[in-house]
Amino acid sequence: MRALKERLSEFLFPTESDAWLSILRVGLGFQITLYSLSLRNDWNYLLAGADSGLINRDLTEALLSIESRFAPRLGWLATLGAHVGLREETVLSILWICLLVAGCGLMAGIFSRTSAILAWFLHLCAAKSGGFVSYGVDNFMTIGLFYLMLSPLPDRYALDWQLRKSQPEDSPLLGFWRRVLQLHLCATYFFSGLTKCLGSGWWDGSNVWRALIRPPFNVIDPEMLVRWKYLFPVAGVFICLLEIGYPFFIWSDKTRKIWLICICAMHAGIGLMMGMYLFALIMVILNVAAFGSGPVRLQRESTSLRPQEVVP
């Protein structure tokens, strides 16, 4: 039992540098900045109340209250602004600016912890209040920001460290939160691949066809899709095997790099062929942060230890 406990502790709290945390911080900051800029013209229109919004936000938040009364929402902040004499449009504009500033702060590493918490809370409020127009990218952005704000910020590449003029100390939580992110991605890909394998739509390529021709994701000309229709079953089988094999091949040093490249290439292809650029970006950021810096670091360590191992 003692040996098992030590192995479990080594697995959950590995010795890690903060390179992965820098990738996650900068990547999520860039993601939040692009997310804010993409909604600049439609922010108030999508998230306003019943009088001027595209969708009644009160209806969305009423449905949200059935699931949980404690889930963050923009209605809380709009009500708070009304108490100090601010109109709803003004409150929403201020929140958009705060979200953009938080994204820029994460990229630069200024007030990293505060920026991470602010970005997580504001994005979660927007995603929950705009539930009818949100999709997978919002879920994974929330996941990434949640792990980021709990991680030992700031990292050594943040401006916060430069301003403090102190040396960063490696924390055992660096390895722990990266391990949690790795396990989260493994579970996500495995069950996603398992769900795809249980149906016939991915094996015969029909789901790939439907995904590419469904508005507003029909970016590619239908005539071109018809010409390449014979590749759809191959693509469907490849995606199924890639996702369901993710937790088995991403851990090994021999297969990690090729699996990481394939999974990032898959998301990049989804982004380009379906116009889901933000979704592709967040998945690449999470994968590179979770497994990207590991193979290089481990390879260097093993190389440096080889000469010492042969010394009698």
Side-chain angles (χ1 to χ4, degrees), residues 199-275:
S200 60
W202 289 94
W203 296 104
D204 59 16
S206 59
N207 282 356
V208 178
W209 166 263
R210 282 193 290 266
L212 293 175
I213 64 172
R214 180 182 302 173
F217 308 114
N218 52 339
V219 177
I220 303 177
D221 187 359
E223 294 183 1
M224 184 178 296
L225 294 177
V226 173
R227 294 176 185 176
W228 297 95
K229 62 181 179 180
Y230 301 104
L231 294 179
F232 293 159
V234 178
V237 173
F238 175 76
I239 292 173
C240 288
L241 297 181
L242 186 63
E243 291 188 352
I244 203 170
Y246 187 93
F248 303 103
F249 295 97
I250 200 66
W251 296 101
S252 174
D253 295 339
K254 298 180 180 179
T255 57
R256 182 184 310 164
K257 184 177 294 185
I258 185 63
W259 225 260
L260 181 63
I261 293 175
C262 289
I263 206 75
C264 290
M266 180 191 73
H267 287 299
I270 292 174
L272 294 174
M273 291 187 294
M274 301 179 63

Side-chain angles (χ1 to χ4, degrees), residues 136-148:
V137 64
D138 296 291
N139 295 330
F140 285 103
M141 286 175 65
T142 301
I143 291 171
L145 290 169
F146 178 77
Y147 291 139
L148 179 64

Side-chain angles (χ1 to χ4, degrees), residues 10-28:
E10 292 177 358
F11 177 76
L12 292 178
F13 297 92
T15 302
E16 289 279 358
S17 69
D18 56 0
W20 73 273
L21 186 58
S22 301
I23 296 173
L24 187 64
R25 174 184 57 79
V26 176
L28 286 176

Side-chain angles (χ1 to χ4, degrees), residues 4-239:
L4 179 61
K5 183 179 179 180
E6 291 179 355
R7 293 183 61 182
L8 181 61
S9 178
E10 292 177 358
F11 177 76
L12 292 178
F13 297 92
T15 302
E16 289 279 358
S17 69
D18 56 0
W20 73 273
L21 186 58
S22 301
I23 296 173
L24 187 64
R25 174 184 57 79
V26 176
L28 286 176
F30 185 59
Q31 176 84 14
I32 286 293
T33 302
L34 290 181
Y35 174 84
S36 303
L37 294 176
S38 66
L39 294 176
R40 179 184 58 181
N41 297 326
D42 301 319
W43 177 266
N44 287 15
Y45 183 56
L46 293 175
L47 300 175
D51 297 333
S52 56
L54 173 65
I55 302 174
N56 190 339
R57 194 189 67 230
D58 295 335
L59 174 61
T60 307
E61 295 182 351
L63 296 175
L64 180 62
S65 298
I66 298 177
E67 300 178 2
S68 174
R69 299 184 62 88
F70 301 101
R73 63 204 70 185
L74 294 177
W76 292 353
L77 303 177
T79 303
L80 182 62
H83 284 301
V84 296
L86 296 178
R87 296 187 306 168
E88 183 184 56
E89 295 181 359
T90 304
V91 174
L92 291 177
S93 298
I94 293 175
L95 295 179
W96 179 85
I97 294 174
C98 290
L99 185 61
L100 180 63
V101 170
C104 295
L106 285 176
M107 283 195 296
I110 301 176
F111 301 108
S112 301
R113 178 80 62 189
T114 304
S115 298
I117 295 175
L118 183 63
W120 171 80
F121 180 74
L122 293 180
H123 174 264
L124 183 60
C125 289
K128 293 300 182 180
S129 295
F132 290 132
V133 293
S134 62
Y135 66 109
V137 64
D138 296 291
N139 295 330
F140 285 103
M141 286 175 65
T142 301
I143 291 171
L145 290 169
F146 178 77
Y147 291 139
L148 179 64
M149 73 174 185
L150 295 179
S151 298
L153 291 169
D155 55 90
R156 71 185 68 231
Y157 301 103
L159 287 181
D160 290 338
W161 274 114
Q162 304 298 327
L163 297 176
R164 294 179 183 179
K165 296 182 179 180
S166 58
Q167 296 296 327
E169 297 180 359
D170 292 336
S171 169
L173 292 179
L174 278 170
F176 174 74
W177 286 114
R178 190 186 192 194
R179 187 69 80 211
V180 173
L181 178 60
Q182 291 171 342
L183 294 174
H184 196 143
L185 289 177
C186 287
T188 299
Y189 280 114
F190 176 77
F191 288 107
S192 175
L194 182 62
T195 303
K196 291 181 175 66
C197 290
L198 294 178
S200 60
W202 289 94
W203 296 104
D204 59 16
S206 59
N207 282 356
V208 178
W209 166 263
R210 282 193 290 266
L212 293 175
I213 64 172
R214 180 182 302 173
F217 308 114
N218 52 339
V219 177
I220 303 177
D221 187 359
E223 294 183 1
M224 184 178 296
L225 294 177
V226 173
R227 294 176 185 176
W228 297 95
K229 62 181 179 180
Y230 301 104
L231 294 179
F232 293 159
V234 178
V237 173
F238 175 76
I239 292 173

